[in-house]
Amino acid sequence: MEHAADAPLEVLARRLYFDLTGMPPTTGELHEFQQMAGQTQEAALATYGGIVDRLLSSPRFGERWGRHWLDLARFAESSGGGRTLPSRMPGATVTM
């Protein structure tokens, strides 16, 4: 069995964006990635690492994974059955 061929830069960028943010890259981001990567393997790896760092520090990364962990913790702003939790804010009135 032989290894598959390396994926093109566009495919790598799309996979990276989908994995880290859940959103596809814009055409401008893809074009920027291709220009920065140049023709050499070293330039492509440096560009790839820079984009990983940028996406990991972006708010979209936190939103994607924050939502995932809130789902796992079964976070909800209601107690289920169509009932909402009473407000615990000072001065709030609760009517039932």
Side-chain angles (χ1 to χ4, degrees):
M1 185 179 282
E2 295 182 24
H3 294 284
D6 290 341
L9 290 176
E10 304 86 35
V11 173
L12 287 177
R14 287 183 59 81
R15 288 178 186 168
L16 186 61
Y17 274 83
F18 274 116
D19 286 345
L20 295 180
T21 66
M23 303 284 292
T26 64
T27 53
E29 290 168 332
L30 277 177
H31 185 67
E32 176 187 345
F33 179 69
Q34 290 171 332
Q35 284 185 332
M36 288 173 46
Q39 299 296 326
T40 65
Q41 183 72 12
E42 293 81 22
L45 289 174
T47 301
Y48 191 79
I51 290 178
V52 168
D53 291 338
R54 183 169 53 91
L55 290 176
L56 287 175
S57 64
S58 76
R60 286 194 286 178
F61 174 75
E63 292 163 358
R64 174 179 167 90
W65 291 103
R67 182 174 163 195
H68 171 74
W69 286 110
L70 288 173
D71 288 345
L72 282 178
R74 296 180 178 241
F75 175 80
E77 294 184 6
S78 73
S79 58
R83 299 181 310 264
T84 58
L85 295 174
S87 175
R88 291 189 169 83
M89 296 295 293
T93 58
V94 178
T95 57
M96 291 193 190

